[in-house]
Amino acid sequence: MSVAFAELVTIMRRLRDPQSGCPWDLEQTFETIAPYTLEEAYEVAEAIANGDRAGLREELGDLLLQVVFHAQMAADEGSFGIDDVIGAINAKMIRRHPHVFGDAEIASADAQTDSWEAIKAQERAAKADGVPSVLADVPLALPALVRAEKLARRAARVGFDWPDAGGVLAKIREELAEVEQAIAEGDAGHIAEEVGDVLFAVANLARKLGVDAEAALSAANRKFTHRFQAMEAQAGDAFPALSLAEKEALWQAVKREE
């Protein structure tokens, strides 16, 4: 363990000391800290997207703190400690890279992906009480778009998939027609269900085209934000009162400037 990492572990241990620790840190549980863990992971991703290396260094530190915090809470209750966390990931990485740490031969990144998934399937089977599901360990806490891609990718690995992107496009058209039908029926629950089906199908289209759906949507969000704020800047205080046609004209002007 490096000196700096050992110091971080010591700092967290002191923060959680029942006699002299920080009241806030002592009150925390796995459940209360989990949202911060997710938030820090997103901030790491944002720093990467912004090309902000100084920010990335800071955010990685914040994320590392979350790992140490969870491990310390587990140690406090006698479940496991930070050494167990590190030991488990070391063992997993060695187990999942037999071509590096063993005698297996893997010729390409695609072959490594297949090997990785095969080893994960073996691990799932070892943990399962009954028939193991390829979907069993896709985390519920993932953002819905990311989870949709992962679920579909797992299903595709056992042959449940469209042959090409054209099949997904046809499915999207089918789901859009069902949305229109649900709207005509006026059933709010049915509308929500069918809109969800459209989003799931679009996530599958991204997967079939080799597009990261979450990254693509994030880029679209940034583009929309940039264009909308440019519209606001051009119109000033008058923006809210503009007609829809005037706002659309501003939107098109901003697009042309790009």
Side-chain angles (χ1 to χ4, degrees):
M1 187 182 301
S2 74
V3 173
F5 185 69
E7 183 179 12
L8 176 60
V9 172
T10 300
I11 288 170
M12 180 50 64
R13 188 178 298 125
R14 289 191 61 183
L15 290 172
R16 291 277 299 177
D17 186 288
Q19 305 302 320
S20 59
C22 169
W24 185 89
D25 290 276
L26 286 166
E27 286 181 359
Q28 302 314 305
T29 65
F30 295 109
E31 292 75 18
T32 62
I33 289 298
Y36 295 103
T37 308
L38 292 173
E39 179 180 334
E40 297 300 349
Y42 283 123
E43 290 181 358
V44 166
E46 183 176 358
I48 293 171
N50 293 336
D52 181 0
R53 293 295 182 264
L56 178 58
R57 179 186 60 196
E58 179 179 351
E59 299 303 341
L60 285 171
D62 291 343
L63 185 58
L64 180 59
L65 175 64
Q66 295 297 309
V67 175
V68 174
F69 205 143
H70 283 285
Q72 184 59 49
M73 288 188 292
D76 292 342
E77 68 178 22
S79 299
F80 58 83
I82 189 64
D83 287 341
D84 301 302
V85 173
I86 297 171
I89 190 58
N90 286 347
K92 180 185 291 186
M93 295 306 290
I94 292 171
R95 184 171 65 249
R96 291 187 181 179
H97 292 84
H99 56 298
V100 176
F101 302 103
D103 299 327
E105 293 185 7
I106 295 178
S108 67
D110 287 342
Q112 164 56 15
T113 298
D114 292 339
S115 172
W116 180 278
E117 291 298 333
I119 293 170
K120 287 180 67 176
Q122 293 170 4
E123 293 170 355
R124 286 194 296 271
K127 293 178 182 177
D129 294 329
V131 178
S133 170
V134 297
L135 308 181
D137 59 347
V138 180
L140 288 169
L142 286 173
L145 190 59
V146 175
R147 191 164 192 266
E149 279 194 290
K150 281 187 171 290
L151 289 170
R153 192 176 298 115
R154 289 285 186 85
R157 288 191 174 277
V158 292
F160 191 67
D161 195 12
W162 291 273
D164 52 40
V168 194
L169 284 169
K171 183 64 175 177
I172 291 172
R173 296 186 189 101
E174 175 189 326
E175 297 296 352
L176 285 170
E178 292 179 4
V179 170
E180 291 180 346
Q181 180 62 36
I183 292 172
E185 294 169 357
D187 184 335
H190 190 200
I191 291 171
E193 178 184 352
E194 297 300 342
V195 169
D197 289 346
V198 171
L199 293 171
F200 189 85
V202 170
N204 270 283
L205 178 63
R207 175 181 60 84
K208 293 296 286 186
L209 295 174
V211 173
D212 183 325
E214 185 74 15
L217 183 56
S218 294
N221 288 342
R222 289 193 297 272
K223 180 168 63 176
F224 177 82
T225 300
H226 171 75
R227 289 178 178 175
F228 192 87
Q229 290 176 339
M231 291 165 60
E232 291 177 311
Q234 289 189 22
D237 294 339
F239 181 75
L242 294 178
S243 68
L244 181 56
E246 289 171 323
K247 290 185 174 79
E248 176 62 22
L250 268 177
W251 178 269
Q252 294 301 328
V254 168
K255 286 181 64 175
R256 287 193 297 272
E257 289 173 3
E258 291 177 347

